[in-house]
Structures are given as structure tokens and as C-alpha cells.
Amino acid sequence: MLTNRNHDRLKKEAVRYLGYGKNAVDERISALIDRAFLELESVVNPKCIYRIFDLNSVEQNQIHFSQVTIKSTSLGRNLKGCEKIVLFGATLGIGVDQLMARKAITDMAGAVIMQSCAAALLEEYCDECQERISEEVRKEGRFLRPRFSPGYGDFPIDFQGKLMQILDCAKHIGLTMTESYMMTPVKSVTAVIGVSATDAGCRKVPCEECVKKDCKYRRNRTVMKG
């Protein structure tokens, strides 16, 4: 999953997740990040699943598809003009959780860095999966919208359970959820993706759409050394 081609990009994302902002990353932290990626690569087992449904209607704050209704104004804006909807789930696998748990016992600082590297790997994997879905719908002259996950904006976090049930995530990719909506394995994602006949643009990263301009995790604020 990790190649020379995308290593630099992943490393910059890991630094962003660490919250360095505009501060430079020293050689020690840089080396620890490299080591964390190597350790993660030995255990990562990424899997994803998705299903595409016809989108019946998108009202001001209600989305209807396949006898399912979602109440969310922010998701409704994201899906405006869409004809279909994709339910998506992805995980890096339980091996990553086990590795991070062991690291937390022996090296707390290393565990924090590993958490950030795993988050970067998960985002990269989701982007790869979404590109494959994009290629599929493009054959029909359709385009994808950005991923939109439960818990973002006013999209209820409790829809995560319904989404995982529809996809049967436990059976297909080993992804489950606790009563408090925590996913197991932890490094996992669920999302809704709109499909439309017009290319409204799936190129904006979430940071560019977010109104919180002073967030220390915001993209394009990281400085790397070496």
C-alpha cells in the first residue's frame, strides 16, 4: 500500500494529523514517522465495501433512498443534484489496532505518531477506493461527490449503524460498532458519496470546505525538513 510514489504525501498528512501546523518537523520526528509507517505496513490489511442505490429525492433536510430516510441539511446540500448514492465502508484491519495497543504500552510518544500515520494510511486507502468507484460510475457518464461521513455537520452519527447494517460490514470487511458508535477496528471509515450526471467537483479536500480556518489540523500548513 505504501510506495515511494506516495510516501512523501503520506508523511505530510501524518505530520498534519500530529498538529504541527506551520512548525517544522525535526529529523528525529521525521525518522519516527518513517519507522511507524514501516511497522504499520507489516500488519495493515485494508478492505472496503460499497453499494450504489438510486436516490429517490433530496429535499431541504431529508434524503430518501431504498426505503431509507436521512435527516440532514448539510448532507442534503452535498447531495443536491445527485441521482444515485453510494454507501461506503473501509478499514485498515484489526492488526493495526493490535499494533497500536502494544505500542501504547511500551512507547506512548511512538503510539501518538503511529496513530497519525495510520490515519494518513486510512485516508489514502479511502481515496484509492473512491477513485475505483469513480471509474465505475464514469462509464455511465456520472461523477462522484466528496465523501460525507456520519457525524460530520448535522449528519447524525447514529446513521453509522444503519449504514454498516445495510452493507453487512461485519461479514464482508470485519467492521463492527459499539453502542457508543465507536468502530472496531478503530482505523475505519463509513461514508455516503453522491453520484450525479454533472461534474460538480470531487477535488476539494474537506479542509477547503470547512469554515474553521484556524484549525491546527488544516491542510497546506505543514513544513517538512529534508
Side-chain angles (χ1 to χ4, degrees), residues 149-160:
S149 293
Y152 186 79
D154 65 347
F155 186 8
I157 186 67
D158 57 9
F159 183 75
Q160 192 159 263

Side-chain angles (χ1 to χ4, degrees), residues 7 17 52 56 59 74 94 115 122 153 195:
H7 178 74
Y17 283 119
I52 303 175
N56 298 335
E59 300 170 9
S74 52
I94 195 64
Q115 286 273 0
L122 178 59
V195 182

Side-chain angles (χ1 to χ4, degrees), residues 23-179:
N23 297 317
V25 178
D26 61 33
E27 292 182 2
R28 184 181 70 88
I29 296 297
S30 178
L32 289 173
I33 292 173
D34 289 337
R35 178 181 174 182
F37 275 126
L38 284 175
E39 292 183 69
L40 285 165
E41 279 295 303
S42 68
V43 299
V44 69
N45 182 26
K47 296 179 181 178
C48 78
I49 186 171
Y50 67 93
R51 288 181 62 188
I52 303 175
F53 298 87
D54 289 329
L55 190 55
N56 298 335
S57 66
V58 179
E59 300 170 9
Q60 184 175 4
N61 67 339
Q62 291 193 1
I63 298 95
H64 304 278
F65 70 97
S66 186
Q67 299 182 334
V68 176
T69 298
I70 307 173
K71 294 184 178 180
S72 171
T73 300
S74 52
L75 179 60
R77 286 196 299 267
N78 183 272
L79 296 177
K80 186 178 180 180
C82 289
E83 302 169 348
K84 295 178 181 289
I85 188 172
V86 182
L87 299 191
F88 172 82
T91 181
L92 294 184
I94 195 64
V96 172
D97 281 17
Q98 294 168 342
L99 176 61
M100 291 192 300
R102 292 195 299 270
K103 179 68 70 172
I105 295 173
T106 61
D107 180 7
M108 185 54 68
V112 172
I113 290 174
M114 186 167 286
Q115 286 273 0
S116 297
C117 292
L121 280 173
L122 178 59
E123 188 72 12
E124 178 85 357
Y125 178 62
C126 289
D127 287 345
E128 291 173 0
C129 295
Q130 186 161 341
E131 181 57 34
R132 291 197 295 269
I133 301 170
S134 179
E135 291 173 0
E136 178 182 334
V137 301
R138 207 176 291 140
K139 295 175 182 176
E140 302 175 353
R142 292 186 170 90
F143 305 88
L144 293 186
R145 297 287 174 85
R147 292 189 301 275
F148 207 99
S149 293
Y152 186 79
D154 65 347
F155 186 8
I157 186 67
D158 57 9
F159 183 75
Q160 192 159 263
K162 181 68 173 178
L163 188 158
M164 292 170 66
Q165 180 184 28
I166 294 171
L167 293 178
D168 200 357
C169 287
K171 176 182 178 180
H172 294 291
I173 62 174
L175 176 59
T176 60
M177 188 183 69
T178 68
E179 292 182 358

